[in-house]
Amino acid sequence: MAGPTTPPSTRCCRTPARETYELLGCAPQGALRTAVARARAEGSAPLGSLPLEILDRQGTAVGEWYLEEVRVSGARPCARDLSLLDVTVEGWTPEDNPRDHPRYPPLSPGYRTLSASGEPYGTCRDLAHVRPATPQPPEPAPVRLAPCAPPWTRESGRRARPS
């Protein structure tokens, strides 16, 4: 008689949720610059992994945070410095990231972006997590109160007779 069999894993293999981020004040280089150009021409462009080195005030890497399966979905001039871009990317965050969103030390120049192999992708001053817009509840219909008379008068305390 055969021994007991191990049931197949019941853990579901689900795809992590993709989220949208903006690389603010970005000076793209290499493949990131190419992906930005393709996204402007075609609507979006694949990039792959996107590690961000968190920099201290001297520009030394003090930590790392990254996105996987990144797509560049757009870019626009940075509002604070027109020589830089705000680049919109979509990707998913691995579970082993230290937190859901990186935070850099005070007076830091921001982040250094790299490829998975260490090729420089440029720098960015900040990273913003773009949350999906929550649908607003519909405005309630205005209530219109019709004029009415009370059924009694205050002076007598008796019911008023209809005229």
Side-chain angles (χ1 to χ4, degrees):
M1 181 177 239
T5 60
T6 306
S9 175
T10 57
R11 196 173 97 196
C12 177
C13 299
R14 62 185 178 127
T15 310
R18 295 182 64 79
E19 298 187 69
T20 303
Y21 294 86
E22 286 192 344
L23 304 171
L24 302 171
C26 187
Q29 298 174 351
L32 179 57
R33 180 184 291 162
T34 304
V36 166
R38 278 188 62 196
R40 284 180 162 174
E42 301 171 13
S44 73
L47 185 63
S49 294
L50 181 65
L52 283 89
E53 287 183 336
I54 303 165
L55 305 176
D56 67 7
R57 40 198 250 181
Q58 287 82 29
T60 305
V62 294
E64 187 174 84
W65 187 87
Y66 54 101
L67 289 168
E68 295 291 341
E69 296 180 15
V70 174
R71 289 193 71 81
V72 176
S73 57
R76 65 180 185 282
C78 177
R80 294 185 177 182
D81 184 346
L82 296 177
S83 67
L84 302 174
L85 296 174
D86 291 342
V87 180
T88 305
V89 297
E90 297 173 357
W92 57 271
T93 57
E95 289 181 11
D96 57 348
N97 264 345
R99 49 183 95 76
D100 64 345
H101 185 270
R103 289 161 183 84
Y104 57 81
L107 303 176
S108 166
Y111 305 95
R112 183 179 305 125
T113 56
L114 305 166
S115 70
S117 62
E119 172 192 345
Y121 279 171
T123 59
C124 64
R125 292 185 178 164
D126 204 354
L127 178 75
H129 186 190
V130 180
R131 307 244 184 234
T134 56
Q136 296 295 322
E139 289 286 326
V143 176
R144 183 171 178 221
L145 300 175
C148 59
W152 64 88
T153 62
R154 289 185 188 234
E155 296 84 30
S156 68
R158 289 193 256 162
R159 292 174 85 69
R161 292 186 179 232
S163 17

